Amino acid sequence: MAKFKIQKGLTDADMMKNFKEEVSFENTMLTREAEAKKTVIHKGNSQDEFYREFLTEKVETQIGKMLLDIKMEYFKEGEGAFSIQVKRDGKNIVLETAPKKVK
């Protein structure tokens, strides 16, 4: 076996300059995911996407959890689905739910 002498004082870029990463499933998926995120960021010209910028991930998660709780309450009452109406009350936003009417 050949001995390799490790040079001291090299930067990370210098140590990795001749390294080629093998193509694997994980690498391919990570690359595709990064490309998809870039296209979503550049795609954000529509008016609906502009409005969604006001909802952070935390707020979306909180709203989703509360709606799930409400859905479970309706389910326990024997209702299958519910509808949501969004209303403005001064500086407050109100989400009103009601059971969906079956036709």
Side-chain angles (χ1 to χ4, degrees):
M1 279 198 151
K3 271 190 157 178
F4 292 102
K5 183 168 180 150
I6 300 173
Q7 296 178 357
K8 294 185 179 181
L10 293 177
T11 64
D12 290 343
D14 290 336
M15 288 187 277
M16 300 297 288
K17 68 182 175 185
N18 292 327
F19 177 74
K20 278 284 194 183
E21 192 170 22
E22 293 180 22
V23 178
S24 67
F25 175 75
E26 291 85 4
N27 297 345
T28 306
M29 294 308 291
L30 287 172
T31 305
R32 287 182 185 171
E33 188 175 302
E35 290 171 359
K37 284 182 182 179
K38 287 180 186 177
T39 57
V40 169
I41 291 170
H42 295 298
K43 187 181 170 185
N45 295 332
S46 74
Q47 196 170 19
D48 287 341
E49 290 177 8
F50 171 74
Y51 295 140
R52 287 189 184 120
E53 289 182 15
F54 295 101
L55 295 174
T56 63
E57 285 185 36
K58 182 179 178 182
V59 172
E60 284 181 356
T61 302
Q62 288 174 336
I63 292 171
K65 285 181 180 180
M66 289 180 192
L67 289 173
L68 179 61
D69 290 341
I70 291 170
K71 181 174 183 153
M72 294 307 294
E73 288 178 25
Y74 278 121
F75 181 75
K76 288 177 185 175
E77 295 171 1
E79 300 292 335
F82 67 99
S83 63
I84 304 170
Q85 287 187 336
V86 181
K87 296 185 179 184
R88 181 177 170 186
D89 183 20
K91 291 184 180 180
N92 296 319
I93 298 170
V94 179
L95 296 176
E96 291 183 358
T97 63
K100 273 192 178 175
K101 295 182 174 111
V102 179
K103 293 181 179 182

